[in-house]
Amino acid sequence: MDDVTVDRLRPHEIALLRGGARAAVTVALVGLHLRGALEAGLPGTVRASGSAAVAVPDPLERAVLGCLREPLSPRELVRHPDVRVATAELLLGPAGAGLLGPRLLRPTREARRRVRELRERHPVPRTRHGLPDDAGLLAVALHGETALVALVPRFALRAGLTRRARVADRGMLRHTPRNADRWDRTPLRGGFDGGGDGGGGGGGGD
C-alpha cells in the first residue's frame, strides 16, 4: 500500500475510511445535491428532486436516491437496508487495497495514517470559486463537517448534516447572500464557479 493506492480511492471510499458509513453517506448526499437529484426537505431531511434526467453512476448514490420515496433524515438513510448493503459493497475497494483489517474490516493503522496525510495535503478549500466537483467531494470526504460548513452551509444545515451552532460560528448564514453559494442553490455542471458567488438568480428555497 502506498499514497497512490489511497489517492485512487473514490471520495465515498475515503470517507468510509475516515468516518464510517455516516461519512460515506454524507458524501453521497452532497454528490446527489451537485447532480440536482436531491434537495433539502423538511428541516433535517432530504428528498428526491424529481428530475428523471439526472444520471447517477455511483452505486452508493443510486442506493441513497432509491430510498427517497419520501423525505428521510441522514440517520434514517444510513440505517436503511438498501444503503447498508451499498455501504458494505463499498468496503470491497479499500479491502482489496489492503486498507482494512481482515477480521473486522476496519481501517488499519497504516490506512488511518494515509488518510491523515491526505487531509494535510488537501486542506479545506478557502474559496468555492473554480473548485471542481471532485475536489469539493474530496474535501467533504476528508474533512467532514468543516468542509460542509465552508462549502455548502445552507444545504448541509437544512439537510441535518451540520449543527446550527457550527454554521453560526462561521457566520455563513448571516453574511452569505441566500443565492451566493452556487453549490447550495443549483446543481453544478462544470464545477463550483459557473458565474461565481453572488451572481446567479433570485432567492427562494432549494
Side-chain angles (χ1 to χ4, degrees):
M1 178 181 59
D2 52 26
D3 287 336
V4 174
T5 299
V6 178
D7 287 344
R8 286 178 178 173
L9 295 179
R10 306 192 331 267
H12 309 73
E13 296 169 321
I14 293 172
L16 191 67
L17 289 175
R18 179 190 61 80
R22 167 97 186 203
V25 170
T26 295
V27 172
L29 290 173
V30 174
L32 288 166
H33 179 60
L34 281 176
R35 299 177 191 281
L38 65 73
E39 58 195 6
L42 296 173
T45 69
V46 293
R47 64 188 180 193
S49 67
S51 176
V54 177
V56 182
D58 182 82
L60 179 58
E61 292 183 11
R62 285 200 303 270
V64 168
L65 187 60
C67 296
L68 292 177
R69 299 176 183 87
E70 60 182 5
L72 294 174
S73 69
R75 178 175 295 184
E76 290 171 325
L77 282 167
V78 171
R79 295 175 176 175
H80 194 286
D82 292 349
V83 174
R84 289 170 66 95
V85 169
T87 304
E89 293 175 347
L90 194 64
L91 292 168
L92 297 177
L99 299 170
L100 300 175
R103 295 183 59 187
L104 299 178
L105 290 180
R106 293 179 178 175
T108 63
R109 181 178 300 178
E110 181 67 9
R112 292 193 295 270
R113 185 179 72 82
R114 298 295 188 182
V115 170
R116 288 196 300 270
E117 290 177 352
L118 271 182
R119 285 168 58 91
E120 293 174 358
R121 284 162 37 203
H122 300 278
V124 176
R126 294 185 177 183
T127 177
R128 296 181 293 272
H129 287 294
L131 185 65
D133 296 358
D134 288 345
L137 291 180
L138 179 61
V140 173
L142 289 172
H143 300 280
E145 191 171 346
T146 302
L148 292 171
V149 171
L151 300 176
V152 284
R154 289 189 179 278
F155 170 73
L157 179 62
R158 294 177 63 186
L161 297 173
T162 56
R163 298 162 292 182
R164 178 172 293 275
R166 183 71 183 273
V167 176
D169 287 344
R170 288 289 300 269
M172 300 300 293
L173 299 185
R174 184 171 64 253
H175 299 300
T176 304
R178 288 183 59 82
N179 66 343
D181 188 342
R182 176 91 191 267
W183 212 359
D184 280 348
R185 311 308 305 160
T186 59
L188 290 180
R189 294 176 179 84
F192 279 82
D193 203 359
D197 289 356
D206 285 326

